[in-house]
Amino acid sequence: MRIEPQEIQDIKSNFEKVCEDLEALGTIWETGEKGQNYRIAFLRALAELSRENSAARSIVEKLLDAVNIKHSEEAIAFRAYYLDGKKKPTARQISRRLYIDVRTVYKYNRRILIAMLPVAFGVYGLFYPDISKRYDDKPNGLSR
């Protein structure tokens, strides 16, 4: 069996792509606000895939159902933006249909994504403790 140079190049590029994807996926566990923004971006990308991929759609629908109780108005805008229909509508189309401002559509979507964080990632969805940080015994640096 002879392997062609083009096949070797394809395998190498696929392997490099997988390594890049795994490295990007690892960023969702970064600490602080930067890590939280990565986790929100991950959920947004998952929601973007939900029109094309049934597995992604199932996950997003379950996450939305979990946060829908407290955020029903926001959930309607999120569902219209990411899940309803075969073609993704613009924020302007959704704002006209729901009688809200275009900026409100984006604000509602962000609220839903933030509400999904603890459901999707557990307590680490909202924050991730920095193990290297040392805490004093005294609260707020006050002496007893």
Side-chain angles (χ1 to χ4, degrees), residues 11-26:
I11 291 170
K12 183 179 176 186
S13 65
N14 287 342
F15 180 74
E16 290 171 350
K17 172 110 174 70
V18 168
C19 288
E20 289 172 9
D21 292 344
L22 284 174
E23 187 175 314
L25 190 59

Side-chain angles (χ1 to χ4, degrees), residues 78-131:
F78 184 88
R79 186 174 293 281
Y81 194 77
Y82 288 111
L83 298 172
D84 291 344
K86 294 186 182 203
K87 185 179 175 190
K88 181 181 174 185
T90 64
R92 182 174 299 280
Q93 291 170 334
I94 294 169
S95 69
R96 287 180 181 160
R97 186 174 358 143
L98 299 177
Y99 302 106
I100 56 177
D101 189 47
V102 175
R103 293 172 293 178
T104 306
V105 173
Y106 292 119
K107 183 171 63 172
Y108 284 175
N109 287 342
R110 180 140 176 102
R111 281 185 190 168
I112 288 293
L113 290 169
I114 290 171
M116 286 179 176
L117 285 174
V119 178
F121 297 103
V123 70
Y124 301 115
L126 296 176
F127 70 94
Y128 194 75
D130 188 4
I131 296 170

